[in-house]
Amino acid sequence: MKTGPPFYLRWLMQLHRLLYRASAGRIGSRLDGMPVLELYTVGRKTGETRTHLLTYLREGNAFIIAGSNWGQDRPPGWFFNIEAHPQARIQVRGRMIAVRARETEGTERDKLWRKFKVIGSNYAGYEQTAKRVIPVIALEPLETS
């Protein structure tokens, strides 16, 4: 079973998170040619705020993220959090936006997943190694944000 990224990559991801936060998204706003957002979820078990830096696509006014989890057989923890609590927040280049998460399905999901594979070089590999359908999530801004 895969265990996720190697130690050095986890360390680089922590450094990326620190730089992104310290600069309000000005540093580290792109990764692998894709824009980056910070997702704030509520832990489904703990009720505590959890944060994750994720690459995304834009589709209309929605921010689209993929639960690839480095190609592991299990979706990332944030996926279970938004299943339990679909209202979340994202920070995009220093701007905080309230969103509602929705898992895409069928042709909508397939179309968006193809875009991830074209733009992000790692996504096709994640699809090959994961023994599951990788969820594609639309983060739709709430009217009050």
Side-chain angles (χ1 to χ4, degrees), residues 5-140:
F7 171 77
Y8 74 90
L9 200 46
R10 285 191 292 258
W11 182 85
L12 284 174
M13 289 168 33
Q14 288 300 320
L15 179 60
H16 181 224
R17 180 188 311 254
L18 289 171
L19 290 171
Y20 186 90
R21 283 186 179 166
S23 69
R26 288 185 304 279
I27 298 173
S29 64
R30 295 193 76 76
L31 186 63
D32 192 27
M34 297 179 71
V36 172
L37 60 75
E38 188 165 23
L39 173 66
Y40 293 76
T41 63
V42 174
R44 69 183 168 126
K45 294 179 182 175
T46 65
E48 295 178 11
T49 300
R50 304 287 186 209
T51 64
H52 312 274
L53 288 183
L54 303 168
T55 56
Y56 70 93
L57 305 171
R58 288 303 301 263
E59 186 73 16
N61 70 340
F63 298 82
I64 311 299
I65 57 176
S68 59
N69 202 21
W70 302 89
Q72 295 183 69
D73 294 338
R74 180 178 166 86
W78 61 257
F79 175 76
F80 299 107
N81 292 345
I82 62 170
E83 266 190 330
H85 306 285
Q87 284 193 244
R89 292 177 296 138
I90 58 174
Q91 179 178 267
V92 179
R93 297 198 61 116
R95 191 170 136 231
M96 195 64 75
I97 305 167
V99 295
R100 175 171 290 284
R102 174 182 63 80
E103 185 172 2
T104 62
E105 298 177 332
T107 56
E108 178 189 27
R109 184 247 173 232
D110 295 343
K111 178 185 90 166
L112 294 169
W113 180 245
R114 279 192 300 276
K115 287 184 178 185
F116 271 100
K117 292 191 300 182
V118 167
I119 297 170
S121 63
N122 294 323
Y123 288 100
Y126 297 154
E127 183 177 49
Q128 295 289 320
T129 59
K131 293 178 175 69
R132 61 187 173 86
V133 174
I134 294 173
V136 177
I137 309 300
L139 302 172
E140 298 167 331

